Amino acid sequence: MKAAWRFWSFIALIWLLSTGIDRIWWHHYASIPSWDQADYLNSALDHGRALGLLPGGQWQGWNALLDLSPKIPPLASLVNGTVMAVAGDAPEQAAWSLSFWHGLLLVAVAAWGLRLRGQGMALLAVVFVAMAPALLELRADYVLEMPLTAAVTLALWRLGCWWDPQRGGRWVQALFAAAACTAALLVKQSALLVLLPALLWASWCALCRTNRTRFQLLAGVGVFLFGVGPWLRHNWITTLGGTNRAVIESAAREGDPSLWTLENWLWYPRLLPAQLGPVLLIVGLSGCVLWLGIHCRSLGSSTQRAVSSDDPLAWRWLIVTLLAGWLFTSLSPNKGDRYITPLLPPLLLLLARGWWQWGLWAKRRWLKGSWLILPTTLLAGLLAILPSALSAQITRLSERHKGPVEAIVRAAGGADPNGLPTTIIVVPSTPDLNQHNVSYFGRRRGGRLVGRQLGSSAGDVEPVLQQAEWVVLAEGDQGSVRDTAARLDQAVRSSGVFVELRRFSRQSGGSYSLWARSSGAPRAASFAERFPSLAQGLAKGPQGLEPVFAAVSVEHMLDGHFSYRTEVREAAMRRLLDNPVDTDARWTLALLAVLANRPVEAATQFAVLEKRLPESPWPSVYRSGVILAGLNPWQASAVADRAQRKHPNDLLAGLGDLSGVLAGALWRLPAASGSIPKAVEQVEEALKPSSHEKGSS
C-alpha cells in the first residue's frame, strides 16, 4: 500500500510540474487562436452556454445541445466548456482543459505500465509521455488531439484488461472498457482508426470463450449504443458529409500520397524522430531488440529472470494493437502529423521497456543495487528527450500569431452581453484573423457578435452590398481565400454603401480595416419577407431546391444568429390561424424544420401537405427523405412505397429501395442498384444551373 501511494504521488508530481510549465507557456507565449483552435474554442463556448454554465446561454433541451455538434462528437466540448465555466473563457484559461486531459493520459499510461512491467517502467513511460515533443506541443495547442489521445489510451488499456485470457473477463472490466471506448468515440470519430482493430480482436475472443463474456460483449454494445446513439441519430447525415470532406476531399486537395505508394506507408514512421526525439527512439528500439533477444534465449529455460516481471499477455495486446492501429491510420487517405498521436503513448510504453532493458544491462555490469536502475534510467531518458522538447517549443515560439482581432471585435461592439446580435463579414482568412476567432472573441463573456466568411463566390457581392452591416477587409495578404474574394473586397471599398471606420496594423505587414454600413444606404427586402416564396418553390420538386440552398447558405453567413426564423415561424402560424388549409404556410414551416434539423416536425408538415396536395408527389418525396434523415428507414420505406404506387417517380423508387435496404430488406438490393442512381441523376439534373444563371455567375 505504501509503495502504491508513493508511486501515484510521483505521477501527481509529474502532472503538477508539467502543468506548471504549461501555465508559464500559456501566460507568456500564448498566441491568437488560429482556424482549428478558434473553432474548437467556439464549440466549447457553445456547449458551456447550452449547459447554462457560461454567460449568454441557458439549457434549451437535448435537441438544442445535439445541434451544436453536427460533424464532431460533443464530449470534448462538453468537458472543455465546463472547465471554461470554472477557469474562464480566455484562451489561456480555457487551456486548463488540456491539463485535465493530460492528467487523464498520464493516469492511463501509468496504470497500463503497471500491468505491463511494474512501477519503475511505468514511471519512466509517464516521464516520456510528459516530455515527448509531439505531446508537449498538443498541451500548448487548443485542438482535439490531446483529449483524443487521452481517451484512446484509456480505452485501449481497459479493453486490454477485459480481453486478458487469464485476469480478464469480469463484468466490471467489460463495462469500464465499453464506457471508455464510447467516450473515445464521443471525442472524435478518428478514434475508430485505433480502436476498431482492438475492438474486433477483443470481441472475437469474447465470442469464442464463455457465455459470460458473450453477455458482457452484448452489454458493452448496449453501453455504446446508449452513449453514441443519440448524437449519431441526430447528426448522422452531417457527420457522414463532414467525414467525407475532412478525409477524402481534404486528402485530394492537399495532395496526400496514394495508398499504393511506399511514401504512404512511411508517412508516419518518418515523423517519429521529430515527434519523440531521435535519441529516445533509437535507444528505446535497440533496447526492445535486446529484450527480444534475451526473451528468445530464455524460452524453455527454467529461469527467466530478465523477463520474469513482464506480463506477456499484456505486451501482446499492446504490440498487436499498436501495429494494427498504425495500419488502419495509414489506410486513411488524409495524412497529418496530429493524426498519429493516439498511438504515441502505447509506443512510448514500448520504448520505455527498451530503455528499462538497457538499465538492466547496465546494472549487471556497473550498477551496484537494483535501486539505481530507476534514477539512472530516468536521468538518461530526461537528458535524451530534453533537447528535442526544447527545440519543439522554440520552433513553436517562431510560429506564434499576433493580431488585432480583439481590437477589431471591440470596435464593432463585440464581447458585450447587452449588445445586439451582430454578424461581421470577414473577407480575409489568415491565422491571426478569420471568421472563427472573430466569433470566439466576439462571444466571450456572454457577447453576441459572430464572424462569417463570404467571398468564395462572385454571387456573394450583391447580398453583402444589400444586407451586411459590418465587413472586415485586408490590405496586403488575404490568406487562404479564393480569387473571387478580391471582387467582394473592391465592391465594398468602391460601392459607397460602407464607410471605413478604422485600420489595424498587422504583425506581418499590411493592415486590416473595419467597415460599417452607411446609415443612408438602401437595404433589400429582409430574408424573412422572402422566405415564404422560397419555401413555396419546394412544390416544384428538386428544381425548387437550388434557389433555397443558394439563398439560405448566403443568409446564414449574413445573419449568423438565424434571427429570421422566429419572425418567419410566427407569421406562418398566424396565417394558419386565419386559414387552417393554407399550404404556403405549411411549406414555410416544413422548410424551417428541415433547416433546423427537426425531422419529426418536418415530416408532420409534409404529411399535411400530402393530404392537401394529393396530385403532387413532392410532399411524399420530402416526407420520406426527412423520416430517413431521422433514422427511421422502416417508416420512410412505407411512405415512399405507398406514394410510388400512386405517383410513379424515380425519386420515390430510389428512396423506397434505399430505406428498405437500410431497414433490413436486403432482397431489395438489386432494385436499389438501379433505382438509386436514377434518383441521384434526377436530382443532379434538376440542380444544374440554367444557361442564364451560368452566364450571370
Side-chain angles (χ1 to χ4, degrees):
M1 182 65 69
K2 186 176 179 180
W5 181 88
R6 185 169 57 247
F7 170 77
W8 288 108
S9 295
F10 277 120
I11 301 301
L13 179 61
I14 293 170
W15 178 81
L16 288 172
L17 290 173
S18 58
T19 299
I21 294 171
D22 296 344
R23 299 321 303 167
I24 293 172
W25 168 268
W26 280 100
H27 181 71
H28 292 285
Y29 305 112
S31 63
I32 293 291
S34 186
W35 295 284
D36 286 356
Q37 293 82 356
D39 198 21
Y40 295 134
L41 284 165
N42 275 313
S43 182
L45 273 177
D46 286 337
H47 286 79
R49 285 183 169 188
L51 293 173
L53 301 176
L54 289 173
Q58 60 183 350
W59 175 255
Q60 296 181 349
W62 283 108
N63 283 334
L65 182 66
L66 294 173
D67 286 339
L68 302 176
S69 51
K71 299 174 185 176
I72 296 178
L75 181 59
S77 293
L78 288 168
V79 172
N80 297 350
T82 303
V83 172
M84 272 186 178
V86 177
D89 60 7
E92 63 273 14
Q93 295 168 329
W96 274 106
S97 61
L98 297 176
S99 299
F100 166 81
W101 292 108
H102 181 235
L104 178 64
L105 173 62
L106 295 185
V107 168
V109 169
W112 202 351
L114 283 174
R115 192 176 186 90
L116 290 166
R117 170 76 197 191
Q119 292 185 0
M121 194 218 76
L123 190 60
L124 184 63
V126 168
V127 171
F128 286 169
V129 168
M131 294 290 290
L135 298 175
L136 188 63
E137 181 180 344
L138 290 181
R139 305 203 313 264
D141 196 12
Y142 201 95
V143 290
L144 286 186
E145 270 61 36
M146 177 53 71
L148 177 66
T149 301
V152 167
T153 303
L154 178 68
L156 282 176
W157 163 50
R158 294 313 309 171
L159 198 58
C161 292
W162 175 61
W163 162 87
D164 193 316
Q166 294 180 355
R167 294 190 288 171
R170 297 199 293 270
W171 273 101
V172 171
Q173 294 173 325
L175 295 177
F176 197 167
C181 292
T182 302
L185 290 171
L186 282 173
V187 170
K188 201 173 182 182
Q189 301 97 311
S190 57
L192 271 178
L193 294 175
V194 178
L195 289 182
L196 185 59
L199 284 167
L200 292 174
W201 185 18
S203 300
W204 174 256
C205 291
L207 289 172
C208 295
R209 286 176 184 163
T210 65
N211 285 334
R212 183 180 63 181
T213 56
R214 295 186 191 105
F215 284 123
Q216 289 171 355
L217 176 61
L218 186 62
V221 172
V223 170
F224 170 80
L225 293 176
F226 179 79
V228 176
W231 170 78
L232 190 60
R233 183 178 185 274
H234 192 81
N235 295 299
W236 71 278
I237 293 180
T238 51
T239 299
L240 289 176
T243 302
N244 175 67
R245 285 190 295 273
V247 176
I248 299 175
E249 294 180 12
S250 179
R253 185 171 59 251
E254 296 171 4
D256 289 330
S258 167
L259 178 65
W260 310 110
T261 63
L262 182 62
E263 183 185 4
N264 176 78
W265 298 102
L266 295 179
W267 182 273
Y268 291 115
R270 69 180 178 84
L271 297 176
L272 293 178
Q275 289 183 321
L276 304 180
V279 177
L280 175 69
L281 189 64
I282 292 171
V283 174
L285 289 176
S286 61
C288 288
V289 172
L290 178 64
W291 171 41
L292 180 63
I294 295 174
H295 176 72
C296 292
R297 287 197 302 270
S298 67
L299 287 177
S301 173
S302 59
T303 59
Q304 300 185 29
R305 289 189 301 272
V307 293
S308 59
S309 298
D310 289 288
D311 185 331
L313 291 173
W315 280 112
R316 183 192 306 171
W317 171 262
L318 182 141
I319 294 171
V320 171
T321 55
L322 178 62
L323 292 174
W326 164 76
L327 174 64
F328 275 58
T329 304
S330 298
L331 287 172
S332 175
N334 194 18
K335 300 292 187 294
D337 54 357
R338 299 203 314 249
Y339 301 158
I340 198 65
T341 48
L343 288 172
L344 295 184
L347 177 58
L348 285 167
L349 279 164
L350 183 61
L351 295 177
R353 182 60 183 86
W355 275 79
W356 193 258
Q357 192 61 47
W358 281 119
L360 294 174
W361 177 84
K363 174 206 157 192
R364 288 196 300 271
R365 282 161 175 77
W366 302 307
L367 300 179
K368 302 299 182 182
S370 300
W371 68 273
L372 287 173
I373 297 177
L374 178 58
T376 304
T377 311
L378 270 176
L379 179 60
L382 281 172
L383 292 175
I385 201 171
L386 192 59
S388 298
L390 291 175
S391 175
Q393 292 305 85
I394 292 172
T395 301
R396 186 150 186 80
L397 275 174
S398 66
E399 297 174 348
R400 287 189 302 158
H401 307 297
K402 293 292 183 183
V405 59
E406 288 187 85
I408 293 173
V409 166
R410 285 196 301 269
D416 180 4
N418 299 316
L420 294 174
T422 304
T423 302
I424 294 184
I425 303 302
V426 184
V427 178
S429 183
T430 63
D432 61 319
L433 184 88
N434 53 75
Q435 59 171 324
H436 302 302
N437 56 29
V438 167
S439 291
Y440 169 63
F441 285 107
R443 298 190 307 141
R444 282 190 56 209
R445 298 184 292 273
R448 306 174 72 187
L449 182 147
V450 298
R452 293 292 183 264
Q453 186 176 24
L454 283 172
S456 61
S457 168
D460 293 344
V461 173
E462 281 304 312
V464 169
L465 296 181
Q466 292 175 358
Q467 294 178 254
E469 297 290 338
W470 297 89
V471 181
V472 175
L473 303 177
E475 292 74 40
D477 179 32
Q478 300 290 317
S480 57
V481 296
R482 297 183 181 180
D483 294 339
T484 49
R487 299 190 195 179
L488 180 55
D489 181 285
Q490 287 302 114
V492 170
R493 295 179 190 274
S494 61
S495 65
V497 172
F498 296 92
V499 293
E500 182 179 345
L501 296 185
R502 184 178 165 189
R503 291 204 176 192
F504 305 82
S505 61
R506 302 163 64 178
Q507 185 182 25
S508 58
S511 60
Y512 295 116
S513 54
L514 177 64
W515 298 70
R517 190 176 194 86
S518 172
S519 58
R523 287 176 171 80
S526 71
F527 190 68
E529 294 174 311
R530 295 186 288 122
F531 190 91
S533 62
L534 286 170
Q536 292 162 27
L538 296 180
K540 302 175 184 178
Q543 58 264 41
L545 296 176
E546 198 279 332
V548 170
F549 293 155
V552 168
S553 63
V554 174
E555 177 62 23
H556 285 184
M557 296 293 103
L558 293 168
D559 176 12
H561 300 275
F562 312 143
S563 55
Y564 69 90
R565 291 182 178 178
T566 300
E567 184 179 346
V568 170
R569 176 179 293 279
E570 291 176 351
M573 296 303 293
R574 286 195 299 269
R575 291 188 63 172
L576 285 178
L577 286 175
D578 295 336
N579 180 14
V581 296
D582 188 332
T583 56
D584 292 346
R586 294 291 180 184
W587 285 115
T588 296
L589 292 173
L591 180 55
L592 280 175
V594 169
L595 295 175
N597 192 18
R598 297 294 182 268
V600 174
E601 182 181 338
T604 299
Q605 300 298 334
F606 287 129
V608 175
L609 286 166
E610 277 185 308
K611 297 177 181 178
R612 298 279 185 264
L613 303 171
E615 301 305 318
S616 174
W618 305 122
S620 300
V621 170
Y622 299 134
R623 184 185 174 203
S624 177
V626 297
I627 292 172
L628 183 58
L631 216 58
N632 187 350
W634 303 272
Q635 186 182 0
S637 176
V639 169
D641 291 342
R642 184 168 58 249
Q644 171 69 1
R645 290 191 290 269
K646 186 177 181 181
H647 308 288
N649 182 291
D650 287 341
L651 265 177
L652 285 170
L655 281 168
D657 290 334
L658 173 62
S659 52
V661 170
L662 293 176
L666 299 183
W667 57 87
R668 300 186 67 163
L669 273 171
S673 64
S675 63
I676 294 175
K678 288 182 179 179
V680 172
E681 183 180 351
Q682 181 179 348
V683 174
E684 289 178 343
E685 188 65 30
L687 293 179
K688 285 182 180 178
S690 64
S691 58
H692 171 73
E693 291 171 326
K694 289 179 181 178
S696 63
S697 62

